[in-house]
Amino acid sequence: SSSITSIFAFHPFPRSTHFCRLSRRIIMAEPQAQACIPGGKCVPCESLDKSHLLSPEKVEAELLTNNIETWKMKDGNKIARSYTARNFQCAMDSMVAIAKIAERENHHPDMHLTGYRDVEIVLFTHSLGGISENDIALAQMIDAEVEFDYSPKWLKSNPEAKKD
């Protein structure tokens, strides 16, 4: 038990960094203030009320306008992004990278790993029970900052996920 604890307690890099096994480099996650404005940061959820919820039409427009069409509406009050990673380690690496962004922004997605490499990321503003600008902004940050290593077969049938 103490050996497990010591493994998780040891951080060879500052907490704001992440070693990406895929690119074999250290990714710096600069500490930033909170405020999720598209192209910006996350606004503290405590300051939001139901007037900040986006309509389904507005969400669809934001996904297209902000070039994040890998995200789709889910259950009418969430946006989700699903993908198949190259392998288990690549799936975990992408989830850790997403978690670092979520911690930095203090806006946390629901993340699901099934079948050892199938990942689903679900965003909604928990305190409001729906989608706000915070979710759109976080989706943009995830797409811009995370280097996904997709399954080649999955990527072939989902070419919109490939970054230029």
Side-chain angles (χ1 to χ4, degrees), residues 15 22 30 51 55 64 72 83 88 99 124 139 147 149 160:
R15 285 200 184 274
L22 305 175
E30 295 300 320
S51 70
S55 69
L64 286 173
K72 307 290 182 216
Y83 57 93
F88 177 78
F124 68 106
E147 290 187 38
D149 193 1
E160 71 281 1

Side-chain angles (χ1 to χ4, degrees), residues 30-44 62 66 68 101-102 104-107 133-145:
E30 295 300 320
Q32 299 175 6
Q34 302 160 1
C36 267
I37 325 167
K41 321 166 117 339
C42 288
V43 173
E62 290 284 338
N66 293 298
I68 49 175
I101 296 166
R104 179 188 76 206
E105 298 301 325
N106 197 26
H107 192 64
E133 290 288 346
N134 283 1
D135 305 301
I136 301 298
L138 189 58
Q140 286 179 284
M141 290 177 211
I142 289 169
D143 279 7
E145 297 176 39

Side-chain angles (χ1 to χ4, degrees), residues 21-22 85-95 116-117:
R21 295 175 197 276
L22 305 175
R86 183 178 298 273
N87 55 41
F88 177 78
Q89 186 63 60
C90 293
M92 292 304 298
D93 287 347
S94 66
M95 291 175 74
Y116 84 88
R117 63 186 186 137

Side-chain angles (χ1 to χ4, degrees), residues 19-77:
F19 179 74
C20 180
R21 295 175 197 276
L22 305 175
S23 61
R24 302 213 182 279
R25 63 188 168 124
I26 298 171
I27 299 171
M28 300 298 287
E30 295 300 320
Q32 299 175 6
Q34 302 160 1
C36 267
I37 325 167
K41 321 166 117 339
C42 288
V43 173
C45 292
E46 304 82 50
S47 67
L48 302 178
D49 60 32
K50 295 284 185 185
S51 70
H52 290 91
L53 287 172
L54 302 178
S55 69
E57 298 78 23
K58 176 74 172 164
V59 171
E60 292 291 348
E62 290 284 338
L63 295 176
L64 286 173
T65 305
N66 293 298
N67 199 26
I68 49 175
E69 45 295 311
T70 54
W71 294 83
K72 307 290 182 216
M73 288 286 296
K74 179 178 180 163
D75 302 333
N77 67 340

